[in-house]
Amino acid sequence: MSQYIERYQRRKLISSYFSVVLSIALVLFLLGVLGLLVLNTKKLADHFKEQITISVFLKDNAKPVEIDQLQKSLALAEYTKSADYISKEDAAEQYSEDIGENFVEFLGYNPLKNSIDVHLKADFVSPDQIAEIASDISSKTYVDEVSYDEPLIELLSDNVKKISLWILIASAIFTVIAVLLINSSIRLSIYSKRFIIKTMQMVGATKKFIRRPFIWTNIQLGVLGAALALIALGVLLYYVDQNFPELNLFQDYILLIALFVGVFGLGVIISWASTHFATQRFLNLRTDDLYY
């Protein structure tokens, strides 16, 4: 009978530890994902901004030397990421492939113009800056038109500001929720041992002596949960980097190390603090209050 009771208590203890580790791992993993999102918000925003293109259409009478000089000056400009010259013949060929029909043969001439596609650096993608850049390029006598998607740029700029703000707010809220969830899991684990705590206290054990094994055990559980969360976070990082290499997630390895250390440290600190205050609460309760 005693062996059955002992096995039952051991299974119950393992189940309790497992639930605490799982809770800590899941919460820290989600917190780590949110941390990655916060760290890479600007990088993601920059990636989308740099897809914006300014198309500089040239007049038919533009001389080759003028076109070459313009392309080189645009490529060297501080706001340019890349500048690619597209001849009217290449543009017609690409457009014919897109529509599945040779429109040049149908019309009898090529209505398209030679152009230069300018991809801007993310820091210069705003309605005012692009309008100023377009105005400067348009002042060239051999430039026929400068075209870009103005409504898209305004929408992108507004949404980036809103998303950045809401991510910061969500991070703060989720951090508080993470602390509360881990704290609740540990408190429930200690609640089941409240009678043991009170018995040790009644036989003369000091509060520090009683708290020490609980704190050490839950710190170990916090370390294990944080380790599982970091492994899952590493797998997620690798998967995203393999499928979206343009994001260069491993480029800022110092920030990644800081994030991993922060998640690990948070797991340990929350485990320690939650255990300390939970045991203190039961140590301060009267014996009669343990039944409620």
Side-chain angles (χ1 to χ4, degrees):
M1 184 68 179
S2 61
Q3 291 180 350
Y4 173 78
I5 294 174
E6 185 179 348
R7 285 198 301 269
Y8 172 76
Q9 289 178 338
R10 189 182 297 113
R11 286 198 300 269
K12 189 175 180 181
L13 185 63
I14 292 173
S15 176
S16 174
Y17 287 165
F18 178 77
S19 63
V20 171
V21 170
L22 186 62
S23 298
I24 292 173
L26 287 174
V27 171
L28 291 180
F29 171 72
L30 293 175
L31 196 61
V33 171
L34 195 59
L36 281 174
L37 194 59
V38 171
L39 292 178
N40 290 282
T41 297
K42 186 178 186 304
K43 190 178 293 184
L44 287 169
D46 289 352
H47 171 71
F48 288 111
K49 283 182 176 181
E50 289 177 353
Q51 306 307 308
I52 299 294
T53 303
I54 294 180
S55 295
V56 181
F57 295 101
L58 306 167
K59 292 180 179 179
D60 292 333
N61 59 359
K63 298 176 181 179
V65 66
E66 293 175 329
I67 296 174
D68 186 57
Q69 287 178 349
L70 178 61
Q71 183 186 6
K72 288 181 178 178
S73 64
L74 289 175
L76 295 173
E78 61 174 349
Y79 51 77
T80 302
K81 183 179 180 182
S82 64
D84 303 313
Y85 173 72
I86 302 174
S87 66
K88 59 192 301 185
E89 291 77 17
D90 291 340
E93 183 178 348
Q94 182 61 49
Y95 189 62
S96 296
E97 289 180 4
D98 292 340
I99 65 175
E101 182 181 356
N102 192 332
F103 71 97
V104 175
E105 290 184 359
F106 177 77
L107 295 175
Y109 71 101
N110 185 357
L112 302 180
K113 295 181 180 294
N114 298 321
S115 64
I116 300 174
D117 283 348
V118 181
H119 292 275
L120 303 176
K121 293 179 181 177
D123 293 339
F124 294 89
V125 179
S126 68
D128 294 339
Q129 286 177 302
I130 291 183
E132 184 178 345
I133 292 170
S135 176
D136 180 60
I137 297 173
S138 298
S139 63
K140 310 292 183 183
T141 55
Y142 45 87
V143 172
D144 185 61
E145 181 187 0
V146 177
S147 175
Y148 60 93
D149 195 335
E150 186 174 354
L152 177 62
I153 293 169
E154 292 179 354
L155 183 64
L156 182 61
S157 298
D158 291 340
N159 285 340
V160 165
K161 292 177 182 177
K162 291 177 183 178
I163 290 172
S164 300
L165 175 62
W166 281 109
I167 284 178
L168 290 175
I169 294 173
S171 300
I173 293 174
F174 195 80
T175 301
V176 174
I177 293 174
V179 172
L180 293 177
L181 285 175
I182 295 176
N183 179 65
S184 297
S185 297
I186 292 176
R187 284 187 63 182
L188 284 173
S189 174
I190 295 175
Y191 175 80
S192 63
K193 303 178 183 67
R194 65 193 185 282
F195 292 108
I196 297 175
I197 293 173
K198 185 54 67 174
T199 301
M200 293 173 67
Q201 190 177 23
M202 291 175 67
V203 298
T206 63
K207 292 182 177 180
K208 184 177 180 180
F209 179 83
I210 296 170
R211 278 197 301 263
R212 189 184 299 124
F214 288 100
I215 289 176
W216 175 240
T217 298
N218 282 294
I219 285 178
Q220 288 179 306
L221 297 178
V223 168
L224 182 56
L228 292 175
L230 293 180
I231 291 172
L233 201 58
V235 171
L236 178 65
L237 263 173
Y238 178 79
Y239 174 80
V240 174
D241 185 66
Q242 290 296 308
N243 288 275
F244 304 97
E246 64 272 10
L247 294 178
N248 295 319
L249 292 178
F250 291 101
Q251 185 177 13
D252 299 325
Y253 63 92
I254 295 177
L255 285 178
L256 287 178
I257 292 173
L259 176 65
F260 275 57
V261 171
V263 170
F264 185 85
L266 193 61
V268 174
I269 291 170
I270 295 175
S271 298
W272 173 83
S274 299
T275 306
H276 177 84
F277 290 113
T279 51
Q280 186 67 31
R281 176 176 178 272
F282 292 117
L283 285 169
N284 292 335
L285 285 178
R286 296 179 304 173
T287 305
D288 294 340
D289 295 332
L290 296 175
Y291 295 92
Y292 300 98

